[in-house]
Amino acid sequence: MKSGFRSFHPFVCFFYYIGAMLLGMLVTHPVYLLTLLMTGVLLTMLNRESRALLSMLKFYLPISLLYALLNPLFSHRGRHILFYFWDQPVTLESLAYGGYSTVNLLNILVLFISFNAVLPPSRFLYIFGSYFPKIGLLVVMSMRFVPLLKRRLTDIASVQRMKGINIAHGSLRKRMTDGMKLLQILLTLSLEEALQTADAMKAKGYGSGTRSRYEAYALMPRDIRLLGLLSVLFISSIVFHMLGYGEYKIFPSLGEVSIQEWNCWHTGALRYLLQCRSS
C-alpha cells in the first residue's frame, strides 16, 4: 500500500528528486550538504529502506572515509599545513575537501536509494513511456542493471559452489580462476536474456505507436499544491544561488562557516533549501 511521499503523483516525486540532485551539485555550503544528507537518510528510513541504506553504508562508507584520509597525501593544495608526511605537506584544506567529497558521494547514494523506493520502474515509465519510450526503457534498465547482476551472481555462485567452484576457498590462483568462470557465466546469461527480452518487446510492438499506460495516476489537488511549493522553493534557491548564496570555498584557504542569513523551506519530505552565506 502506497503512503507518505510515494503516494504523490509520479511527476511531483520526479520533480522533487531532480531539484534535490541539481541543488546538491550547485550548492556547496557544508550546512546545506549536511542538511541534505540528514534529511535524505530520514526520508529513506520513512520509506522503509533502512536495510538497503545499511547495506550501502556498510560497503561505501569505509571506501569514502578511506578516500577522505588518502586525499591529503596526493593533493597538497591549501595554505594551512598540518604536518609533513614523507617531506610532503598535508594541508587542512585537502583534508576538508576529502570530507566534502565523502558527504557529496553519500548524498548521491542516499538520493538514489530513496528514488528507487519512491519511483519504481512502473512509475518512472508512466512519466516517460508515452513521449520517450526508448529513453525511459533504457534508463529503467540501466537503474536495475547493477542490482540484477548482483542477484544473478549470487544465484550462480550458489549453484557453482556445489561443483567445487568457490571464490572463498583455495589459493589465490584458484580463486581468481573461479571468479573468472563466474563472470563468464554471468555475462553469457545476461546477454542471452537481453536478446530474448529485446525480441519479445519487438514482437509486442514496443515503441511502434502510441503507448498506453499500465497504471493511471490522477493529478490531485494536493499534488498541485506540493508541485507549486516545490517550484517556488526551487526557483528561489536558483535565484539565491545566482546572487552568491550557498557557496563555500575550500581552496586556497577554508572560508568561515557563518550563517548570516538563514531561510529554510520545508518540502513535503523536508529537504529543499536554504540559503546559507559564507563570508
Side-chain angles (χ1 to χ4, degrees), residues 132-229:
F132 308 101
K134 294 182 180 178
I135 295 178
L137 180 63
L138 181 62
V139 172
V140 169
M141 292 181 68
S142 302
M143 289 170 56
R144 66 188 290 267
F145 185 71
V146 174
L148 180 64
L149 285 186
K150 184 179 178 181
R151 188 166 59 251
R152 283 179 179 170
L153 183 60
T154 303
D155 296 338
I156 293 172
S158 300
V159 174
Q160 295 298 316
R161 198 175 297 121
M162 301 178 65
K163 299 169 60 177
I165 299 177
N166 194 336
I167 60 174
H169 299 287
S171 63
L172 178 61
R173 181 183 180 85
K174 179 182 180 301
R175 284 185 288 172
M176 292 178 63
T177 304
D178 292 347
M180 292 304 295
K181 289 180 181 177
L182 294 180
L183 286 180
Q184 181 181 6
I185 297 172
L186 175 65
L187 292 177
T188 303
L189 178 63
S190 299
L191 290 175
E192 184 178 349
E193 290 196 358
L195 289 175
Q196 292 177 355
T197 303
D199 288 340
M201 296 187 68
K202 185 178 180 180
K204 294 177 180 178
Y206 183 84
S208 60
T210 304
R211 177 178 169 79
S212 60
R213 291 186 168 97
Y214 181 72
E215 292 182 86
Y217 296 94
L219 199 62
M220 306 298 289
R222 64 170 192 152
D223 298 321
I224 298 176
R225 290 195 294 270
L226 180 58
L227 183 61
L229 176 62

Side-chain angles (χ1 to χ4, degrees), residues 71-122:
N71 181 65
L73 302 181
F74 298 96
S75 175
H76 309 296
R77 298 176 62 191
R79 293 177 179 174
H80 299 86
I81 299 175
L82 298 177
F83 57 90
Y84 284 88
F85 183 77
W86 285 353
D87 296 332
Q88 297 297 326
V90 176
T91 63
L92 176 64
E93 287 78 9
S94 295
L95 188 63
Y97 186 78
Y100 166 80
S101 301
T102 298
V103 175
N104 264 336
L105 176 63
L106 292 177
N107 271 331
I108 295 173
L109 295 174
V110 170
L111 273 177
F112 269 101
I113 292 176
S114 178
F115 182 91
N116 287 328
V118 175
L119 288 172
S122 60

Side-chain angles (χ1 to χ4, degrees), residues 240 245-246 259-265 273-277:
F240 282 120
Y245 291 92
I259 304 175
Q260 297 180 357
E261 297 179 18
W262 178 267
N263 293 322
C264 181
W265 299 278
L273 247 220
L274 44 100
Q275 133 191 344
C276 302
R277 184 176 185 177

Side-chain angles (χ1 to χ4, degrees), residues 21-33 36 100 104 107 237-238 240-241 245-248 273-276:
M21 291 179 187
L22 286 177
L23 292 178
M25 292 186 287
L26 292 176
V27 182
T28 58
H29 199 283
V31 174
Y32 169 72
L33 294 178
L36 185 67
Y100 166 80
N104 264 336
N107 271 331
S237 300
I238 294 297
F240 282 120
H241 174 72
Y245 291 92
E247 294 183 357
Y248 183 77
L273 247 220
L274 44 100
Q275 133 191 344
C276 302

Side-chain angles (χ1 to χ4, degrees), residues 1-4 6 41-53 113-114 117-118:
M1 180 178 180
K2 296 176 182 178
S3 60
R6 71 180 72 187
V41 170
L42 177 61
L43 181 59
T44 305
M45 295 176 66
L46 291 175
N47 290 328
R48 299 179 181 178
E49 293 293 330
S50 301
R51 181 174 297 179
L53 179 64
I113 292 176
S114 178
V118 175

